[in-house]
Amino acid sequence: MDIHSLRDSYRMAATNMRIEDIVNGINSGDENMEMTATYAVRQFLSRYPSSDTMGYSHIDIFINANVVPKLVEFLSRVKNPDLQFESVRALGNIASGTSDHTKAVVSAGAVGGLISFLDSPDSVVANQAVWALGNIAVDGPELRDYVIEQGIINPLIALIKPYTLDTLLLRNVAWTLSYLCLNKIPPPSVPLLLPALAQLIHNDDEEILVDACSALSYLTDSPNELIQEVVDAGIVPQLITLLDNTKVAVITATLRTVSKIAAGNAIQIQALITNNVVRPLMDVLGKGDFECQKEAAWVITNITSGGTFEQIALLQHLFVGVMAPLYTLFEDKEDSKTISVLLDGLANILAAAETMGDLENVSLHVEECYVLDRIELLHNLHDDDEISDKALAILEQYFPFDVEMRRRTGRRD
């Protein structure tokens, strides 16, 4: 019998089973009844979203009835692949509940069995196992590390092949990988993960791209050594390409990774510049979605904070040119944090220009683009003291003559 085609008799028998009948069937020792009851568990839990209060209470009923250890036992029934498959699905449903529900699945010893199904020749079975394991890894750093210790990485990334056409499977793989990379302490298997993620970011599916870029963002939220590993893996060129994607979620997730790389050292920043990051950054700043503009502002400021004078010089005139409309936009959105980031970026650019003897040209550009007017307004009218103080520091440091002249002439905007 096909592994994911249950007999009509199982379906019909399971449809109207009461919970006590399901529990009795699970513990019956009769394979036909075990099969029917296991299907009924999965069917029963699928009626309710895992976040639904009713769904939670039904999961509790099955856990309290000691059903989970039996489902784990069924994973080893190699002569009954249908029973194995339905057990994987039922355990995934239980693991998608609360943290206590997830831990009940882990405590019953399910992780090793679920990992064994990742190399199933049937992609539907493998997909269900990935989903169940992803629900376990998402619970937090302790369980994330546990599934890694149990050996999830190699069979998981083995599912990413150039000829894999199962989009749903790749979505679940990318989603699970993103949670394996989450948390400040990165997994020990980064060298294995990077080639897999490098392949996933060449996919065309939005969900896969978002999760793969999120995974890279988590990895680069770490010391420079890991940022350099990402750079060395040849991932940067494709990240820059993704900035031209039409999906806002993809651009935002990509920018978060680019922002982390931009927060690295000058060598890592140069990898972005060499791959022409400036043009798509300015496109996003000038006409992108609001959330994307916020992320792009962080990238620019990070580059101006850690880059060389030459690297910062590449951004000067382009960045200043989009700053005036950006300030207006962010003021309308009352986004004080991003305005503060933009001020930091401008202060860094002016400081670099002063060091390189180019302050007069950059300052003139700031005035011609009406950025100086916006800075004065931020100082005089913004409610946030930090922003007002940052604006004043820029004015006093780099434009003292202009400020004094405006005071004398009584100019106000």
Side-chain angles (χ1 to χ4, degrees):
M1 180 174 61
D2 187 81
I3 194 169
H4 44 84
S5 297
L6 291 169
R7 293 177 183 150
D8 289 342
S9 58
Y10 291 147
R11 292 175 177 166
M12 293 177 62
T15 300
N16 298 313
M17 287 184 76
R18 299 174 303 173
I19 289 180
E20 54 265 37
D21 295 329
I22 295 174
V23 174
N24 289 335
I26 290 286
N27 292 289
S28 66
D30 178 277
E31 275 210 345
N32 288 333
M33 294 182 67
E34 289 170 342
M35 179 65 222
T36 301
T38 301
Y39 179 77
V41 171
R42 195 266 299 172
Q43 185 186 57
F44 202 94
L45 294 177
S46 295
R47 294 175 190 167
Y48 308 96
S50 60
S51 59
D52 187 275
T53 302
M54 186 67 73
Y56 286 160
S57 64
H58 285 121
I59 293 175
D60 286 329
I61 290 172
F62 288 122
I63 289 176
N64 294 335
N66 212 31
V67 164
V68 175
K70 293 297 293 185
L71 294 175
V72 173
E73 178 193 327
F74 295 164
L75 294 178
S76 62
R77 300 283 187 87
V78 293
K79 293 183 179 180
N80 193 338
D82 285 339
L83 179 60
Q84 290 179 304
F85 176 59
E86 287 302 323
S87 298
V88 170
R89 297 181 77 174
L91 288 167
N93 278 323
I94 295 170
S96 68
T98 67
S99 181
D100 287 339
H101 298 152
T102 305
K103 288 173 182 174
V105 172
V106 174
S107 298
V111 172
L114 291 170
I115 289 174
S116 70
F117 286 95
L118 294 180
D119 61 2
S120 170
D122 191 299
S123 65
V124 176
V125 177
N127 185 45
Q128 289 296 320
V130 172
W131 177 68
L133 289 163
N135 280 321
I136 293 171
V138 74
D139 189 75
E142 183 179 343
L143 289 187
R144 180 206 76 154
D145 291 346
Y146 180 72
V147 296
I148 291 175
E149 291 166 5
Q150 291 296 300
I152 189 177
I153 297 295
N154 284 321
L156 183 66
I157 62 178
L159 294 170
I160 307 170
K161 305 180 181 73
Y163 51 84
T164 300
L165 300 178
D166 190 329
T167 298
L168 182 58
L169 173 61
L170 288 179
R171 283 177 179 175
N172 279 332
V173 169
W175 171 69
T176 301
L177 281 174
S178 71
Y179 282 105
L180 294 179
C181 295
L182 188 59
N183 301 305
K184 292 295 184 182
I185 301 177
S189 38
V190 171
L192 294 175
L193 293 173
L194 288 178
L197 293 171
Q199 187 168 329
L200 286 175
I201 62 173
H202 282 82
N203 200 283
D204 293 328
D205 183 78
E206 179 181 1
E207 290 185 31
I208 293 171
L209 289 173
V210 169
D211 283 327
C213 287
S214 295
L216 289 168
S217 172
Y218 301 146
L219 289 179
T220 48
D221 192 18
S222 300
N224 283 350
E225 291 77 10
L226 275 187
I227 296 176
Q228 190 60 47
E229 286 193 48
V230 171
V231 172
D232 292 342
I235 287 172
V236 171
Q238 181 59 14
L239 288 176
I240 306 305
T241 298
L242 289 177
L243 293 179
D244 288 322
N245 196 279
T246 59
K247 302 295 186 181
V248 170
V250 174
I251 299 172
T252 303
T254 304
L255 283 168
R256 286 179 185 143
T257 304
V258 171
S259 181
K260 304 293 177 58
I261 296 173
N265 58 40
I267 294 174
Q268 292 149 3
I269 290 171
Q270 187 59 43
L272 297 174
I273 292 175
T274 300
N275 286 283
N276 302 313
V277 73
V278 175
R279 193 272 309 160
L281 274 181
M282 296 308 159
D283 286 347
V284 171
L285 281 171
K287 57 187 178 183
D289 172 85
F290 179 66
E291 291 300 318
C292 294
Q293 288 177 316
K294 285 167 49 176
E295 295 295 335
W298 275 103
V299 177
I300 295 292
T301 298
N302 284 339
I303 292 175
T304 63
S305 296
T308 64
F309 295 138
E310 290 76 13
Q311 290 168 339
I312 298 172
L314 293 173
L315 304 174
Q316 286 177 357
H317 285 71
L318 291 171
F319 185 43
V320 171
V322 298
M323 282 188 73
L326 278 178
Y327 280 132
T328 303
L329 173 65
F330 289 123
E331 282 183 302
D332 291 342
K333 298 283 187 178
E334 297 183 351
D335 192 332
S336 296
K337 183 60 178 177
T338 306
I339 293 177
S340 180
V341 169
L342 287 168
L343 287 172
D344 288 340
L346 178 60
N348 293 336
I349 283 175
L350 290 166
E354 184 176 41
T355 301
M356 296 179 70
D358 195 32
L359 181 59
E360 182 176 351
N361 288 331
V362 175
S363 298
L364 180 62
H365 193 49
V366 169
E367 292 194 60
E368 290 175 343
C369 293
Y370 303 103
V371 172
L372 184 57
D373 295 337
R374 303 305 306 176
I375 303 300
E376 287 191 314
L377 284 174
L378 290 174
H379 167 54
N380 292 324
L381 301 177
H382 205 283
D383 294 334
D384 190 309
D385 289 342
E386 180 183 358
I387 289 177
S388 178
D389 291 345
K390 283 187 177 183
L392 177 61
I394 290 173
L395 294 171
E396 291 182 339
Q397 178 74 23
Y398 301 107
F399 303 96
F401 177 76
D402 297 85
V403 173
E404 183 61 29
M405 284 295 295
R406 293 189 189 205
R407 285 173 180 165
R408 289 178 181 177
T409 59
R411 176 178 172 181
R412 290 292 182 271
D413 295 310

